[in-house]
Amino acid sequence: MNRLLTTILLLATFGTAVAKDYTLSTPNTTIILSAEQGKQLYFRYYGAKAEAADVRAAGRMMKYDAYPAFGTRCDAPYASLVKQHDGDNATKFVVEKVEKVDGNHLSTLSFWLSDVAHPNLVVKVNYSAYNDCDVVKINTEYFNNGKKPIVLQKYMSAVLPIQSDNCVLMQLEGNTKNENNEVVMPLPVGQYNISTTTASRIAQYFNASFMLGLDGRLEEQSGPVIAGTLIWMGNSHFEFYNTPVARVQTLFMGGINPAASDYTLAGGKSLTAPEMVFTYSSNGKGDATRSLHRWARKHQLLDGTKQREILLNSWEGVHFDISETSMVDMTRDFAALGGEMFVVDDGWFGDKYPRNNGTTSLGDWMIAPSKLPNGIRPLIDLAHSNGMKFGIWIEPEMVNNPSELYEKHPDWVLRHPDFEPTYGRGKTQLILDLTNPKVQDHVFKVVDDLLTAYPDIYYIKWDNNMSMHNAHSQYLPNELQSNLYVDYTLALEKVLKRIRAKYPNVVIQLCASGGGRLNYGFMPYFQEMWTSDQTDAYHRVLIQWGAMNFYPSNMLAAHVGSAYSKYTQRLIPIKYRFDVASMCRLGMEMVPAKLNEAEKEYAKRAIAEYKVIRPVIQQGELYRLVSPYEGKRDFTSLMYVNEAKDKAVFFAFRHFFKHDMSNIIIRLQGLNPDAKYRIREVAPEVASKPATINGKVISGRYLMEEGVVIPELVKGYTKNAPLGEVRAGNDCRSIILELTEIK
Ligand code: DGJ
């Protein structure tokens, strides 16, 4: 983003019949390709920073077709399959020219390849490297320079050969209220795919991200690791080959899912396959995560380095029961706790069809007079007079049948005209057909009308609660139906760009039944994403931990729900709920008036404390100490450290109490070994009784080499009765410590 082009070099230094090495480096990694005009482009190396001579001498230069096409080695995996206008589908790509562009933080090598048999087909394979983060990006652009249409049947973004036959794969899988579970397995022999097919709620089941441990292990602090993620708001497809025919030990390809996506490219047109982002670490997956977070905050996430507000969202508190009284009470009560923003969720709209449940009204974005007779102006003003900001929920890509919008424009929905569509939520929901320019205008207008009428709306929650069950456009002609998945995604991007051009500052949260749209593709348009609807704080540890492998804490919204989670029927004390939500962007999602006095006092303290530690949590480097997915799984710990390493925030959670628990030693990471840190407990359960470690001074070296034991989390029963509604049991205890260097 914002890259400043300083030089464009045409590196057409061909003529000698010798392939030339092309090298790009980040601070700690190197990628090498070799090219010779009229010959295949070869991928040679991706790994720790190195000179080409060392890589060659060490036997680490690979030689694999950098962008294999169907037609040259048809028995091997291919990234490209193109059906020409004459029906031919064999391609042989050779190098035409090489370009280098040096930008502010980014250098890009572009290799132009043309098809020997059909010179109308040209691809440009781009490799970019950052000079301030260990991130490289790869993508491919397709050009049809002929007059007649061609059909792209497979058009992968990136091909990454890997010199290891002993990889361990980590991916994220899950579902609504159970998103982003970390799954680790040895990469099986053969071909293994991770594909997403839900099209709009794209990350509902699988995330378009992975990590690979390259020497038979995937460890936090050691070993070679490659992590990758696709920047694409549509269906994605990853292929991992662990087969002899791949002719390298492991081959990765990633890009748009080609399933039902044959893309007709008219003469003179081009299609840019989305960028794959990779990072390489010689020091385990902890470093890989930090490189991605750093890159996301600096270069991809909108307002990635700006502070995020603490908000109360109305959803879990009142669901569709929006009324002026309930909203006024929530605003006032949250302000009294120190909150910074109030957000009215679903249920505020619909005139002819007021939104009382999930079966009606999407599309009718007028305030429901039956629910808010005075509109939202008094609510916005009330928030302001209480020193808070105001936000509101919409689901602009959707419509219900019934709604006034559907009555007017039944042809605006995705569905086949000849049979009943498959409905989504409420058995009445459908997706609007964004390939239709009139629908694009409508979606833009939903946001534009709201922000024109109420320019002081600070925050929008943009929801999306349906997968694309009916992948048929009533706008596209039949011969272009298989362009739909791609064209919907490009149209969505067009609308988001239009919104951002007019409203660059409004904070927009992306939600898809929880974390169903977590993808780097949305980051330039949305400052944050809703991590999950799961209200059980223990369950959220697993979800947040999984998501944080790839996504930084400041873009993950985490809210404190009520003590009883209706989704798991677990009762959880307020301190643990606050501590879990404080790992990310803190918020609340309950009726604050239902808290008892002790809980209110605690919430007030926890919110005030979050404001103190927020810069380290939202901008610091994440260090994972004890995983909830490994070992005994009854304990979790992580920490954030600021850039200067003079402040850190440490979290530890005891999820489940066992009699006579062993002394769990937690070794810290990321500190300055030569510094001494004063330790302060953040928001203890009882203000006057902090943990025994409170006030102690310990060296960074000791904390990292020998670690700490927190007696309150491992010994016996906790003496203080937990606050509030939850009076019994010793499960779900936690601690937050702030570490400050003594200078
Ligand atoms: C699904 C979201 O995940 C919830 O947080 C809430 O906004 C509902 N939609 C509203 O319908």
Side-chain angles (χ1 to χ4, degrees), residues 315 345-346 355 393 425 461 463 465 511 513-514 530 533 589:
W315 178 247
D345 206 278
D346 198 351
R355 175 86 162 169
W393 178 96
R425 188 183 190 190
K461 175 171 174 181
D463 208 343
N465 292 298
C511 170
S513 316
W530 180 222
D533 272 356
E589 193 129 346

Side-chain angles (χ1 to χ4, degrees), residues 122-243:
V122 170
V123 295
K124 185 182 170 207
V125 194
N126 305 304
Y127 299 83
S128 303
Y130 283 81
N131 64 11
D132 58 352
C133 310
D134 285 317
V135 158
V136 299
K137 294 193 296 191
I138 307 178
N139 84 318
T140 304
E141 296 168 65
Y142 276 77
F143 299 86
N144 177 6
N145 291 335
K147 289 207 166 57
K148 295 185 182 152
I150 60 175
V151 181
L152 312 182
Q153 295 179 317
K154 193 172 182 193
Y155 36 105
M156 290 286 98
S157 293
V159 177
L160 193 71
I162 297 166
Q163 205 181 29
S164 162
D165 65 352
N166 190 13
C167 290
V168 174
L169 172 70
M170 190 267 279
Q171 60 173 314
L172 302 178
E173 67 84 41
N175 203 344
T176 301
K177 300 184 188 72
N178 183 22
E179 294 90 338
N180 294 318
N181 287 281
E182 216 181 86
V183 179
V184 180
M185 63 178 187
L187 190 66
V189 171
Q191 179 182 340
Y192 181 74
N193 296 344
I194 306 172
S195 303
T196 68
T197 52
T198 43
S200 67
R201 200 167 38 178
I202 50 161
Q204 190 184 1
Y205 304 125
F206 297 103
N207 197 276
S209 309
F210 73 89
M211 289 214 195
L212 272 185
L214 305 188
D215 65 353
R217 64 199 168 113
L218 182 58
E219 285 174 8
E220 191 61 30
Q221 296 186 72
S222 69
V225 171
I226 290 176
T229 187
L230 182 73
I231 306 180
W232 181 238
M233 298 185 270
N235 287 339
S236 58
H237 182 65
F238 291 170
E239 294 179 1
F240 299 85
Y241 293 91
N242 184 4
T243 67

